[in-house]
Amino acid sequence: SFMAADEGAISTKVYHSVNMGILVLTPMAFALAPSKWVLPVDLALGLALPLHMHIGMNYVITDYSKKFLGLSRGTCQVAMVGVTGMTVLGLTNLNLRGPGITETIKSLWYHPSNRP
């Protein structure tokens, strides 16, 4: 299930597949920007990054939620679903209404007088 995203062979396979997708999409996004072709890549990254984060953090939750936080695994997993959902919404908003993920990251290296 999405809540227990670290359980089963399918989750592990999805995690590794998404990881490979991110490895391909990230340099592609920077190579395409700025152009109209970067939007589909940014939208894909806007889903792939939170999914990768969600599955990976579920591994951490399984290992450490009770030991260090004193919280049940289920409570932490519910919170993680909320964090993942908000991350997807935020990145989608950035991609559709703002400059996009790639241009936002690239702007970290712009000098204030050279901003597009």
Side-chain angles (χ1 to χ4, degrees):
S1 79
F2 196 68
M3 284 242 316
D6 61 329
E7 294 179 358
I10 293 174
S11 292
T12 302
K13 186 172 177 95
V14 169
Y15 183 74
H16 290 125
S17 297
V18 169
N19 189 36
M20 292 305 293
I22 291 169
L23 285 171
V24 171
L25 290 173
T26 302
M28 184 186 299
F30 285 100
L32 291 171
S35 75
K36 65 180 181 179
W37 299 106
V38 77
L39 179 61
V41 177
D42 274 351
L43 289 171
L45 283 170
L47 295 174
L49 291 169
L51 180 59
H52 181 73
M53 169 200 70
H54 181 79
I55 296 171
M57 283 306 298
N58 267 277
Y59 285 113
V60 174
I61 287 168
T62 297
D63 291 343
Y64 299 109
S65 61
K66 195 71 160 173
K67 188 185 299 183
F68 291 107
L69 298 176
L71 299 172
S72 75
R73 180 176 172 218
T75 301
C76 293
Q77 287 174 329
V78 168
M80 195 65 229
V81 168
V83 168
T84 302
M86 293 302 291
T87 303
V88 169
L89 291 175
L91 291 176
T92 302
N93 184 47
L94 179 67
N95 286 329
L96 297 178
R97 295 184 181 179
I101 295 171
T102 305
E103 283 301 316
T104 300
I105 293 171
K106 284 176 63 175
S107 73
L108 295 171
W109 286 272
Y110 293 147
H111 188 274
S113 64
N114 294 334
R115 292 195 183 259

